[in-house]
């Protein structure tokens, strides 16, 4: 594959967001090497094959790292969550207890965003 071919490959992000609307988390899986990745790309970041399709994820993962922002009226937890399928995704932890920590098991949930999308977030399992 040359540069011109890569430039013409467009990933269909609409399928990902349509699935999220119905509370289904999809990850991209490469049919050539079998690796899953996130965010979804049409070119596999492991083997550069362009034979990638979206597949349902279990929605289960563990916290790889997290950052907590606290104000008197507001608490926000941003985290990297490693999915059972392998990829690590940046997300938000909702309803996070005070003792939320790296390594905790989490499960996907979905929230409406101000721009009209339904986005994957996680809560402690
Ligand atoms: Zn691959």
């Amino acid at each position: 594959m040359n540069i011109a071919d890569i430039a013409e490959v467009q990933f269909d992000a609409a399928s990902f967001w349509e699935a999220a609307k119905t509370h289904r988390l999809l990850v991209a899986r490469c049919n050539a090497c079998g690796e899953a990745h996130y965010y979804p790309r049409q070119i596999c970041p492991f083997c550069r094959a362009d034979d990638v399709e979206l597949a349902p994820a279990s929605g289960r993962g563990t916290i790889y790292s997290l950052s907590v922002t606290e104000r008197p009226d507001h608490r926000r937890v941003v985290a990297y969550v490693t999915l059972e399928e392998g990829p690590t995704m940046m997300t938000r932890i909702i309803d996070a207890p005070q003792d939320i920590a790296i390594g905790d098991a989490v499960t996907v949930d979905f929230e409406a965003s101000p721009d009209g999308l339904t986005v994957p977030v996680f809560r402690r399992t």
Side-chain angles (χ1 to χ4, degrees):
M1 175 175 296
N2 62 40
I3 295 294
D5 292 332
I6 292 171
E8 289 177 14
V9 174
Q10 299 285 325
F11 188 79
D12 179 19
S15 299
F16 176 86
W17 294 113
E18 284 300 314
K21 252 187 217 172
T22 58
H23 294 192
R24 292 178 302 127
L25 177 64
L26 303 181
V27 295
R29 185 172 295 284
C30 174
N31 290 319
C33 73
E35 293 283 349
H37 66 267
Y38 185 91
Y39 62 94
R41 281 152 280 183
Q42 189 59 54
I43 306 290
C44 172
F46 295 96
C47 75
R48 298 187 187 174
D50 63 353
D51 187 8
V52 170
E53 64 183 5
L54 291 171
S58 70
R60 292 184 296 270
T62 56
I63 295 178
Y64 174 79
S65 75
L66 77 162
S67 173
V68 180
T69 305
E70 287 188 313
R71 294 190 314 222
D73 62 334
H74 178 83
R75 184 163 184 269
R76 185 176 179 88
V77 179
V78 175
Y80 279 103
V81 167
T82 301
L83 303 174
E84 276 186 344
E85 291 76 15
T88 298
M89 61 185 285
M90 189 177 208
T91 184
R92 212 160 57 76
I93 308 297
I94 59 171
D95 301 330
Q98 287 296 325
D99 65 345
I100 191 91
I102 289 170
D104 283 357
V106 289
T107 305
V108 75
D109 201 339
F110 291 86
E111 264 189 1
S113 75
D115 56 6
L117 291 173
T118 302
V119 297
V121 293
F122 284 78
R123 63 175 71 240
R124 190 154 82 175
T125 304

